[in-house]
Amino acid sequence: METDLLNKSIDGQKNFQVFSGSTLKLMALAAMMIDHTALVLLKEFAFANTPLLSVGTSIVTLYSLCRLVGRLAFPIYAFLLTEGCLHTHHKKRYGVRLLLFALISEIPWNLMHNGQVFYERQNVFFTLFLGYLAICCYERYRKQSVRLLLTLLGVFAAALILKADYGLKGVGFILFLYLMREAKALRALIGCCFFSSPVPILFAFLPIGMYNGKRGFIKGKAAQYLFYAAYPLHIMILYLIKERCFGY
């Protein structure tokens, strides 16, 4: 009897696990593009900054709503990174790919933020790369506490020096997701505490909790590289549109 109840509970949970990794990737990409579109273009329009409603002391606008949606992207990307780290057969190649796109994305990222080739903060691919390094350090030195501490300190120092997007919290969040991968409910509750706006982060954990463990329809090297390339490409397109329409 108890076994039957347990099996029914497990089957019930599986019914909600409907999102593949590819679906989560598209969700994160859509949220990120909405966020960047608001940051680069919408803020220039009066209608996007017109109050829609008030929530307590906060004024909600189309711009603020889009930026709120954008907060869903990083937690999903961070989760997908931990899954990629667990399942990749070529850890070095995986890390090199992250670093490569961090470098490729830097100029579009800089142009988007200040219209110049140089900008003090680094794009989120650097955060993902450093988070990946933190996971690799843990996997390699988890039985050697001194080496683990020193290597992790080096990774976090790099995040601080580079001023990577989301900073130390972002790298720490990625490592946290990896370490808490078996405790899903606790992972969601504690994970929200890493950010100043916990509510949208909690919503990001809803699709993460519905992940079914499957790769999905984004397969093959070409599709994977296209997905990575979407980040610098859409940033560059938004920058060019802004320069064309609002350039001074």
Side-chain angles (χ1 to χ4, degrees):
M1 182 67 178
E2 292 180 357
T3 303
D4 291 340
L5 290 174
L6 179 59
N7 290 335
K8 288 181 179 179
S9 176
I10 293 173
D11 290 339
Q13 291 179 4
K14 288 182 178 180
N15 289 336
F16 289 98
Q17 295 175 332
V18 295
F19 294 144
S20 67
S22 298
T23 303
L24 290 180
K25 286 179 180 180
L26 292 182
M27 287 182 179
L29 180 60
M32 179 180 64
M33 293 180 70
I34 290 171
D35 180 47
H36 289 162
T37 300
L39 177 66
V40 178
L41 298 179
L42 278 185
K43 69 177 182 181
E44 304 289 343
F45 294 95
F47 75 86
N49 296 285
T50 301
L52 299 176
L53 55 93
S54 298
V55 180
T57 58
S58 301
I59 303 296
V60 178
T61 65
L62 177 60
Y63 172 79
S64 65
L65 280 175
C66 290
R67 297 305 309 276
L68 195 64
V69 170
R71 303 284 72 79
L72 303 177
F74 180 73
I76 298 176
Y77 277 124
F79 169 75
L80 291 170
L81 174 69
T82 63
E83 284 295 302
C85 184
L86 287 168
H87 295 104
T88 183
H89 299 294
H90 304 282
K91 288 189 178 294
K92 184 176 180 180
R93 192 180 302 172
Y94 193 97
V96 169
R97 186 162 63 241
L98 289 170
L99 180 58
L100 173 63
F101 277 93
L103 296 173
I104 291 173
S105 303
E106 193 59 16
I107 290 181
W109 163 267
N110 294 345
L111 291 172
M112 179 181 73
H113 280 279
N114 64 0
Q116 300 179 15
V117 176
F118 298 102
Y119 179 60
E120 62 176 354
R121 302 193 66 83
Q122 315 308 319
N123 69 78
V124 75
F125 259 115
F126 279 102
T127 311
L128 296 175
F129 172 69
L130 292 172
Y132 178 75
L133 283 184
I135 292 174
C136 291
C137 290
Y138 175 80
E139 288 183 340
R140 182 166 184 176
Y141 299 120
R142 57 185 170 184
K143 295 183 180 179
Q144 304 174 52
S145 55
V146 175
R147 287 191 176 184
L148 177 61
L149 177 62
L150 291 176
T151 52
L152 287 179
L153 284 175
V155 172
F156 282 107
L160 190 63
I161 293 170
L162 290 174
K163 297 182 179 180
D165 199 21
Y166 290 96
L168 296 176
K169 290 183 179 180
V171 176
F173 180 73
I174 293 170
L175 182 59
F176 166 80
L177 290 183
Y178 175 81
L179 295 175
M180 298 291 290
R181 60 190 181 276
E182 300 298 333
K184 296 180 180 180
L186 191 61
R187 177 184 64 187
L189 291 175
I190 299 177
C192 296
C193 300
F194 277 78
F195 303 91
S196 57
S197 301
V199 175
I201 306 303
L202 184 60
F203 277 99
F205 276 104
L206 291 178
I208 289 173
M210 298 170 73
Y211 173 60
N212 60 17
K214 299 178 181 179
R215 176 180 293 183
F217 48 87
I218 299 178
K219 298 178 180 179
K221 290 184 178 180
Q224 290 177 0
Y225 275 94
L226 182 61
F227 175 75
Y228 278 91
Y231 180 73
L233 282 175
H234 91 273
I235 290 177
M236 195 66 193
I237 290 171
L238 287 173
Y239 167 74
L240 293 174
I241 293 173
K242 179 181 179 180
E243 286 298 297
R244 177 74 174 179
C245 298
F246 307 108
Y248 299 101

